[in-house]
């Protein structure tokens, strides 16, 4: 099943709250800070692939924060594998910070607070993977969070 949303289609007075809800629906509960709230534009398209979700999100600069108060509110924990397509992202989790540019990817865990941002309009390709599924495949993926992986060589090229 495919779902999509565009920020500009919501009424101006609820546009930012509506966008936060759309992003939280696609991934999990997050706080958003807009670089330019008055002119923000974003679009998200999500595909459900039988338990794993694939999405692309194109938007103006944002800062996403997964707060301690958000953790534990989700029924199912998941991981996001995020590939930036147009501009670098900055990601911090588990005491680590990485800058991940186009041609690389990073892993985010919903079960812990984090901060994720980009300062230019960006296109993100995101794979949302249920934690039990990923843990069955790679053991302890938590150790891989907030690291940058090259998407052009080795296993990252897959």
């Amino acid at each position: 099943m495919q779902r999509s949303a565009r920020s500009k289609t919501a009424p101006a007075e609820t546009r930012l709250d509506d966008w936060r809800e759309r992003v939280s629906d696609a991934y999990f509960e997050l706080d958003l800070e807009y670089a330019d709230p008055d002119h923000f534009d974003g679009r998200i398209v999500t595909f459900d692939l039988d338990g794993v979700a694939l999405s692309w999100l194109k938007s103006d600069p944002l800062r996403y924060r997964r707060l301690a108060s958000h953790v534990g509110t989700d029924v199912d924990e998941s991981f996001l594998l995020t590939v930036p397509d147009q501009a670098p992202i900055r990601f911090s989790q588990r005491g680590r910070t990485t800058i991940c540019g186009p041609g690389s990817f990073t892993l985010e865990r919903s079960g812990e607070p984090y901060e994720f941002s980009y300062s230019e309009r960006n296109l993100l390709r995101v794979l949302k993977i249920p934690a039990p599924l990923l843990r069955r495949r790679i053991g302890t993926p938590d150790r891989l969070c907030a690291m940058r992986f090259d998407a052009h060589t080795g296993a990252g090229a897959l």
Side-chain angles (χ1 to χ4, degrees), residues 26-103:
Y27 307 119
F28 32 74
E29 190 173 1
L30 294 161
D31 275 0
L32 278 61
E33 292 180 21
Y34 303 89
D36 186 359
D38 294 331
H39 300 99
F40 176 79
D41 185 27
R43 182 166 185 221
I44 186 168
V45 178
T46 306
F47 303 90
D48 182 11
L49 305 173
D50 197 27
V52 174
L54 177 63
S55 63
W56 65 264
L57 184 151
K58 187 169 191 167
S59 80
D60 292 331
L62 274 175
R63 181 168 79 154
Y64 304 85
R65 294 183 336 159
R66 178 80 168 155
L67 304 175
S69 61
H70 297 143
V71 175
T73 60
D74 297 317
V75 174
D76 300 313
E77 184 181 8
S78 58
F79 286 85
L80 300 181
L81 188 148
T82 302
V83 182
D85 190 63
Q86 295 177 332
I89 57 174
R90 182 179 191 277
F91 180 67
S92 298
Q93 188 173 43
R94 309 193 102 217
R96 290 189 292 243
T97 299
T98 189
I99 305 297
C100 181

Side-chain angles (χ1 to χ4, degrees), residues 111-141:
E112 294 182 3
Y114 70 73
E115 189 170 301
F116 180 105
S117 62
Y118 42 97
S119 58
E120 300 173 46
R121 185 160 179 82
N122 211 345
L123 170 62
L124 308 174
R125 299 175 198 285
V126 183
L127 187 62
K128 181 180 179 185
I129 310 163
L133 178 65
L134 191 58
R135 286 189 175 113
R136 281 196 304 268
R137 305 263 183 311
I138 61 173
T140 53

Side-chain angles (χ1 to χ4, degrees), residues 16-26 32 34:
L16 300 180
D17 287 336
D18 183 65
W19 182 251
R20 183 190 51 76
E21 287 179 29
R22 298 296 162 254
V23 169
S24 293
D25 286 346
L32 278 61
Y34 303 89

